[in-house]
Each structure stands twice: as structure tokens, then as C-alpha cells.
Amino acid sequence: MTRYALHFLYLGKNYRGSQKQPEGNTIQDEIEKALCTLIKTKIGTIFSGRTDTGVSAYHQVLHFDTDYKINKYKFINSMNGILPEDIRVFDIEEKDKTFHAQKSAKFRHYRYLIRNDLIKSPFDTNAFFYRYKLNENRMNEALKYLQGEHDFSAFKSQSENPAKVCNIYYTNAKRSRDEKYIIIDIVGDRFLYNMVRTIVGTLLLIEKDNLEPLSMLSILKSKNRSNAGATADAIGLTLVNVGYKDCSDYLKQLNT
């Protein structure tokens, strides 16, 4: 049996998240169905992590094991011929058995896109619309309190996973050149259920109520979900990258 890492992207708006659900209609359902069609046997996959209903990915990773001999370029073309147009494979690589798409990952990079304008564009299929003016400098100040290793219970929705500690390596909020969008980037070793969306919701709460950016630190230290903002809409969230090497070089690129 050979282990492969599959690299792919998708628009999440038409799916019930990345990982299998009893109701079906997930990214994993479509990937495994395509693999089964191509390899002619049932294939189980392990994702680097889950994305929720409506969340997209520029770069998601999974692994699977098979005896099927894969020709890289033929395989990619065949998979993309089977998959729906809103899911696309762009790479596959052979790995040793120690590789695990989830456990081997060193960092994840999420981006939240807000259209911060008076008019909602019909072309914004992957951005959250927020009419009232946001101050990206204040948002950056608030985000800095989240950097480092912390208990992020205040930003976690209920789940069966008891984990609550994450290490956030990088945060940044910036306005696009045309000044119509706020782009929020967060890189960490791992993320709790709905954590990024709740952080964004808390940023919006701080802006809406004109709270001090220091409020973010108070909310973090409280470890109480009721103190944080609402969970922001999934439509603005994208998994940008999953990395399997130390993130220092990657962070240097983000800072340039």
C-alpha cells in the first residue's frame, strides 16, 4: 500500500462542510466518490482538518492509501473530470507511512474577507458584507492580543473535542487597495471549532460598540464564550494554506 497526499481547493457554499455528515453533500463525499470511480475500489480519506458549511479552501490536504499505481498528471486530470466544477485537485504526491494529513501539519492559515462598503457587490460570492465603516488599525491592535499560546475557550463553539489551547503565530487586518475590503489573516498551529469566525465576530463587536481594542484581551482571559461576539458568517472564511514545515519562512512571505 502506498500513501498519497492530495492537494485540492473548493468553494464551500454548496456543501455541508468538508468532512462527512449523515446528511451527505460534503467535500469528502465528493472526493471519495471520485476516487472510487477512478480507482474502482472504496477509498477512505483523512483531511488536514474540517471546514464548516459554506467555508472554502484555496489549499486543503488529505491523505489516502492504495495499491493503485498513480500517474500524477493523468490522475489529476481524471479526478477533475469526475469532480464537480467547484472542487479541483491541483497536486498529488507520494508520502511515507509516517505522514498524516492532520497530525503532521505544522500550521494552518485562514483568511476572512469582509466587503466593507455601502454597496454589496453581486460578484462577492466569497465575502461577508458589512456596511458600517471598520477601522483596520484598531482591529490589528485587538488581534495582537491573541498572538501566542492561549486557552481560546472564549472563542470556541460547543463541540465534543475537549482541546482548547492553540498557538497563534500571525495575525493581520488590512484594507484592500481599492478600500472596499478588509482582509483578516490568522496563522496558527491549530484552531478550535468556529474559532476564527468567532474572533471576527468579536472584532465586529468591538468596532460596533466602539470598545477599546484591549477588550479582546479581557474576553480571551475570561475563557467564557458568552463574552465574545457572534459567530461571523461562514461565507467570508477561506482556508488559505496547510503547511507541513516550520512556518518561519511562510510568515516572512506574509510580512513582505
Side-chain angles (χ1 to χ4, degrees), residues 76-172:
I76 291 173
N77 288 332
S78 297
M79 283 290 289
N80 289 335
I82 299 169
L83 287 165
E85 291 186 354
D86 50 7
I87 306 173
R88 280 293 172 264
V89 172
F90 61 86
D91 196 13
I92 186 167
E93 53 183 339
E94 188 173 326
K95 294 288 189 179
D96 62 46
K97 285 295 181 70
T98 62
F99 175 84
H100 191 282
Q102 180 184 28
K103 296 177 181 178
S104 299
K106 302 294 186 183
F107 69 88
R108 281 94 172 164
H109 174 189
Y110 278 95
R111 174 171 293 161
Y112 198 91
L113 183 63
I114 302 173
R115 183 174 177 98
N116 190 210
D117 195 19
L118 294 176
I119 299 171
K120 182 178 181 180
S121 170
F123 298 103
D124 281 336
T125 58
N126 202 33
F128 174 65
F129 175 63
Y130 192 82
R131 178 178 287 106
Y132 304 103
K133 188 74 170 180
L134 296 170
N135 185 323
E136 66 272 24
N137 295 321
R138 281 170 41 85
M139 296 172 85
N140 257 322
E141 189 176 344
L143 282 169
K144 285 181 180 178
Y145 293 112
L146 303 180
Q147 293 177 10
E149 189 172 74
H150 304 286
D151 181 328
F152 281 90
S153 296
F155 304 98
K156 175 185 178 181
S157 294
Q158 286 188 342
S159 74
E160 296 178 358
N161 190 339
K164 54 189 178 181
V165 175
C166 306
N167 195 348
I168 300 302
Y169 304 127
Y170 174 88
T171 62
N172 186 57

Side-chain angles (χ1 to χ4, degrees), residues 68-83:
Y68 182 81
K69 185 64 178 176
I70 290 178
N71 176 293
K72 178 176 179 177
Y73 298 105
K74 183 178 179 181
F75 177 86
I76 291 173
N77 288 332
S78 297
M79 283 290 289
N80 289 335
I82 299 169
L83 287 165

Side-chain angles (χ1 to χ4, degrees), residues 43-55:
I43 297 289
T45 61
I46 302 293
F47 277 51
S48 70
R50 63 175 294 170
T51 56
D52 297 330
T53 300
V55 176

Side-chain angles (χ1 to χ4, degrees), residues 24-81:
N25 189 36
T26 68
I27 302 297
Q28 190 173 27
D29 288 322
E30 294 295 339
I31 293 280
E32 291 187 358
K33 184 166 60 177
L35 286 171
C36 182
T37 299
L38 188 57
I39 297 176
K40 309 300 183 186
T41 187
K42 187 175 180 180
I43 297 289
T45 61
I46 302 293
F47 277 51
S48 70
R50 63 175 294 170
T51 56
D52 297 330
T53 300
V55 176
S56 299
Y58 293 141
H59 185 185
Q60 175 67 282
V61 183
L62 62 78
H63 79 254
F64 66 93
D65 298 328
T66 182
D67 287 325
Y68 182 81
K69 185 64 178 176
I70 290 178
N71 176 293
K72 178 176 179 177
Y73 298 105
K74 183 178 179 181
F75 177 86
I76 291 173
N77 288 332
S78 297
M79 283 290 289
N80 289 335

Side-chain angles (χ1 to χ4, degrees), residues 130 134 138 201-212 215 227 229:
Y130 192 82
L134 296 170
R138 281 170 41 85
T202 305
L203 289 171
L204 295 179
L205 173 67
I206 290 170
E207 285 294 280
K208 174 179 172 290
D209 291 350
N210 197 30
L211 303 175
E212 289 297 322
S215 301
N227 291 330

Side-chain angles (χ1 to χ4, degrees), residues 10-13 51-57 110 197 234-235 237-239:
Y10 52 85
L11 284 174
K13 64 178 183 177
T51 56
D52 297 330
T53 300
V55 176
S56 299
Y110 278 95
R197 290 166 59 193
I235 195 66
L237 185 60
T238 299
L239 174 62

